[in-house]
Amino acid sequence: MTISFNINGQPTSLDVDGDTPLLWVVRDMLDLKGTKFGCGKAACGACTLHVDGKAVRSCSYAVKYAEGKNITTIEGLSSGDQLHPVQQAWMEEIVPQCGYCQPGFMMATAALLSEIPNPTDEDIDNNIVNVCRCATYYRMRKAIHRAAGLQSQTAKNQPS
Amino acid sequence: MKNAHRAYLAASLLLGILVLGFSTPGAQLSEPKLPESSESTAAELTPEQAFDLMMEVLTHKRCVNCHPSDDYPRQGEDSHIHNFGVQRGPDNHGVAALQCQTCHQTENNNHAGVPGAPEWSLAPRRMAWQGLTRVEIARSMLNPENNGGRTLEETVHHLTEHELVLWAWEPGVDANGTPREKPPVPKAEYIKAVKAWAAGGAPIPEE
Ligand code: FES
Ligand code: FES
């Protein structure tokens, strides 16, 4: 079947079996390798991306559901050269170790901050349940708080 | 709001069914309690028999897992708390960045073992069934305070036609590829039983 959607702001149309996981399409057909495969069972969060701004685990999301939607991957999180606050905070806190899980965490965090701009530790615990085998959780928590600060700073600097 | 309540009630019944996500391996499909003979019709059931059959389904984990009495969906044949500490959230669809739809879509995903159906969500707290007796569940189901103001007819519609409820009979496979257990009464028999019970005045037996 033909599926059309926007990926990182670009319209795209593909001829693909509708039950193909969106993750496969993103990585293998669109060659966007930032989104990772971990478990394939919606259990680890490595494959998290955004569908219409909401966090979705793309390993378990059939591409047919993406019809007409706006998909954002880690490659599309920044606005041009302007890093997303989450990306900036991740660099400042030097979060990654091996790095494999990080795009998923960053996309989940960006989705969280769009709903809860200043999350508490409890909000973080409740919302960010991805898995990191290198156990970078401590630095991630710091980076999430820092990203919230950067985001509110950016919002203040925006002309109203 | 009323419509939303209705959607939730329907969702709740079938939801229980839904959220079984990653169930334990080795679960066996239960044998139906009734003979699957075509002669078993609603007209042949007394309201009391119909009640018993209906409740065989409504107290099954495919329903109750999504009708918890706290803020955590259950899953699996052992009704454990949903993995990852998934929570009810303000609208029964999870929390900000961890919603039901982060993982659950409108159909089962049998590659990943993630169940799905339209309106996948948790039943509202008012529709908590976990820990209730059959009689308590029936009273709650017929109580407009709890059921979103449904009439009996609307409740029957929900119980017999809502896709989320009927998902119970097509629950897919778990993360290990093991089929999830279905309710112990075949779908057609269950639907007949609900209608027979309602047609008989929806009597609730004494405890
Ligand atoms: S790869 Fe999708 S959740 Fe693990
Ligand atoms: S940084 Fe290695 S798995 Fe998370």
Side-chain angles (χ1 to χ4, degrees):
Chain A
M1 65 191 292
T2 301
I3 313 261
S4 302
F5 52 83
N6 289 320
I7 177 95
N8 299 330
Q10 299 294 318
T12 218
S13 265
L14 298 162
D15 193 16
V16 61
D17 181 333
D19 286 329
T20 307
L22 177 59
L23 176 61
W24 273 210
V25 171
V26 164
R27 287 183 55 87
D28 295 347
M29 297 181 76
L30 301 175
D31 203 27
L32 295 166
K33 306 292 195 196
T35 311
K36 300 296 192 260
F37 172 81
C39 64
K41 304 282 185 187
C44 74
C47 63
T48 304
L49 43 65
H50 294 177
V51 176
D52 287 346
K54 301 269 190 193
V56 162
R57 295 188 169 188
S58 61
C59 68
S60 306
Y61 186 91
V63 68
K64 62 189 173 191
Y65 300 126
E67 176 66 37
K69 306 260 173 71
N70 290 306
I71 313 297
T72 307
T73 66
I74 187 75
E75 290 90 345
L77 190 59
S78 61
S79 311
D81 290 342
Q82 181 69 42
L83 291 182
H84 188 283
V86 171
Q87 294 171 307
Q88 185 66 38
W90 244 248
M91 287 171 56
E92 290 175 9
E93 293 293 348
I94 317 176
V95 176
Q97 186 160 313
C98 82
Y100 195 82
C101 69
Q102 303 286 329
F105 270 97
M106 294 168 77
M107 296 307 283
T109 300
L112 169 63
L113 295 184
S114 71
E115 299 284 333
I116 305 178
N118 282 298
T120 62
D121 279 346
E122 189 183 3
D123 290 328
I124 293 170
D125 291 344
N126 290 343
N127 284 273
I128 308 297
V129 300
N130 295 18
V131 176
C132 172
R133 292 198 69 180
C134 302
T136 60
Y137 301 108
Y138 173 70
R139 293 198 299 277
M140 267 191 267
R141 183 184 300 280
K142 288 208 296 182
I144 293 169
H145 286 303
R146 183 181 280 258
L150 290 169
Q151 181 177 263
S152 68
Q153 209 50 49
T154 311
K156 268 190 215 146
N157 294 341
Q158 302 256 320
S160 51
Chain B
M1 289 300 287
K2 197 171 178 189
N3 285 342
H5 287 166
R6 287 177 183 165
Y8 280 135
L9 214 203
S12 60
L13 290 176
L14 283 187
L15 262 189
I17 300 171
L18 298 175
V19 180
L20 304 177
F22 303 84
S23 52
T24 52
Q28 295 301 310
L29 302 183
S30 299
E31 288 302 315
K33 296 262 170 158
L34 270 191
E36 291 202 55
S37 127
S38 58
E39 286 139 47
S40 173
T41 64
E44 295 167 339
L45 292 172
T46 66
E48 292 72 25
Q49 289 171 323
F51 179 86
D52 288 344
L53 273 180
M54 176 178 73
M55 282 302 168
E56 289 283 330
V57 173
L58 301 190
T59 55
H60 188 265
K61 61 202 87 170
R62 288 288 90 77
C63 291
V64 178
N65 277 4
C66 289
H67 283 258
S69 297
D70 54 21
D71 291 328
Y72 297 91
R74 300 304 196 271
Q75 63 180 172
E77 311 309 341
D78 61 351
S79 298
H80 60 269
I81 286 185
H82 195 300
N83 292 340
F84 329 118
V86 167
Q87 295 185 26
R88 173 187 298 282
D91 66 353
N92 307 302
H93 281 85
V95 293
L98 188 60
Q99 308 218 304
C100 300
Q101 279 69 33
T102 299
C103 299
H104 298 275
Q105 311 308 326
T106 53
E107 294 171 6
N108 293 330
N109 186 322
N110 286 341
H111 303 293
V114 179
E119 300 182 67
W120 194 273
S121 69
L122 213 53
R125 277 300 279 273
R126 293 182 315 283
M127 299 174 195
W129 291 357
Q130 184 192 17
L132 301 193
T133 65
R134 303 182 323 159
V135 166
E136 288 167 339
I137 289 173
R139 284 191 188 135
S140 175
M141 211 164 62
L142 294 181
N143 181 352
E145 299 269 312
N146 291 348
N147 73 12
R150 281 192 173 85
T151 63
L152 177 59
E153 191 184 357
E154 288 164 340
T155 297
V156 169
H157 183 271
H158 166 73
L159 290 172
T160 59
E161 296 191 33
H162 197 276
E163 285 179 281
L164 185 51
V165 176
L166 301 183
W167 171 91
W169 286 271
E170 293 177 27
V173 301
D174 67 13
N176 296 311
T178 305
R180 290 190 183 85
E181 186 181 304
K182 296 178 186 177
V185 178
K187 180 167 74 175
E189 298 292 345
Y190 157 78
I191 290 172
K192 284 178 194 167
V194 173
K195 292 181 174 172
W197 176 65
I204 300 175
E206 294 299 316
E207 298 214 59

